Amino acid sequence: ATWARRNQKDLEAMEWAGDKKPVQHADPKLFAFIQSMWPEARFVHIVRHPSAVIASKKAALANHLPFMKAWDRPDEELLAFWTENERRVLAYKTTGAPIFSLTLPTLSREPLMVLSELLDFLELVEDPDMKLLAQSTAIAQDHKYTAHTLPLTPEARAIIDHYALD
């Protein structure tokens, strides 16, 4: 809303708004708040391998970004945090919450298929330029983080297997 006001957007006329908050929206209180305030809200959930998530957060932390301090914890705690949030998302989905999950590897391999599925989920019509953009965009991959080794718990392994992240 702040961005919209600053850019003189009519908030009443807005049909779509987005917010990128890794893991925050899975918090039960925030998730319930969003659903109560915006009953038509839909959620796009991008899943990455926990090793890549932790390695990339640690890299951002090393760049001294102040908002990354929450990630300044041992890997075991971060893995537990990742697992807890992914379990919440899976639980929300079993109750029928409108969540579209996609994996970064699938997005990297099949951007047009993912785009098509995502647009169906959001009930949006494909703009002709979207396909061109999707084909021409280099989607970031986790290659630079794959060397990070992380001992996995059985719970984390189950989520990785569920999404076929290996």
Side-chain angles (χ1 to χ4, degrees), residues 46-47 126 164:
I46 302 174
V47 189
E126 183 179 304

Side-chain angles (χ1 to χ4, degrees), residues 3-149:
W3 178 89
R5 278 190 213 93
R6 193 175 32 221
N7 289 283
Q8 301 175 348
K9 301 291 181 186
D10 180 1
L11 293 177
E12 298 300 319
M14 288 179 60
E15 292 183 40
W16 289 93
D19 189 19
K20 178 187 172 213
K21 295 280 190 309
V23 303
Q24 290 176 343
H25 292 141
D27 179 87
K29 289 179 184 173
L30 183 55
F31 189 76
F33 172 78
I34 292 169
Q35 287 192 306
S36 70
M37 295 301 294
W38 299 280
E40 301 296 318
R42 297 179 199 170
F43 302 84
V44 178
H45 171 232
I46 302 174
V47 189
R48 293 170 63 202
H49 194 283
S51 294
V53 170
I54 292 169
S56 85
K57 297 302 179 190
K58 295 276 185 172
L61 182 64
N63 288 329
H64 306 291
L65 299 173
F67 55 87
M68 295 304 296
K69 290 192 187 292
W71 295 90
D72 192 7
R73 298 188 259 168
D75 288 358
E76 298 78 23
E77 285 183 32
L78 295 173
L79 178 63
F81 183 63
W82 178 89
T83 303
E84 176 184 4
N85 282 288
E86 292 302 329
R87 287 163 98 192
R88 284 182 184 147
V89 171
L90 290 170
Y92 296 149
K93 288 173 80 168
T94 63
T95 65
I99 299 172
F100 178 80
S101 294
L102 63 98
T103 68
L104 190 58
T106 304
L107 181 59
S108 296
R109 276 190 320 271
E110 301 288 339
L112 295 177
M113 178 196 71
V114 173
L115 174 64
S116 176
E117 291 174 358
L118 178 59
L119 291 174
D120 285 347
F121 170 75
L122 296 173
E123 297 178 1
L124 292 174
V125 177
E126 183 179 304
D127 179 284
D129 292 334
M130 281 182 186
K131 197 174 211 176
L132 292 172
L133 180 64
Q135 287 173 316
S136 67
T137 302
I139 297 170
Q141 295 187 25
D142 284 343
H143 294 308
K144 64 183 176 181
Y145 302 119
T146 55
H148 183 77
T149 57

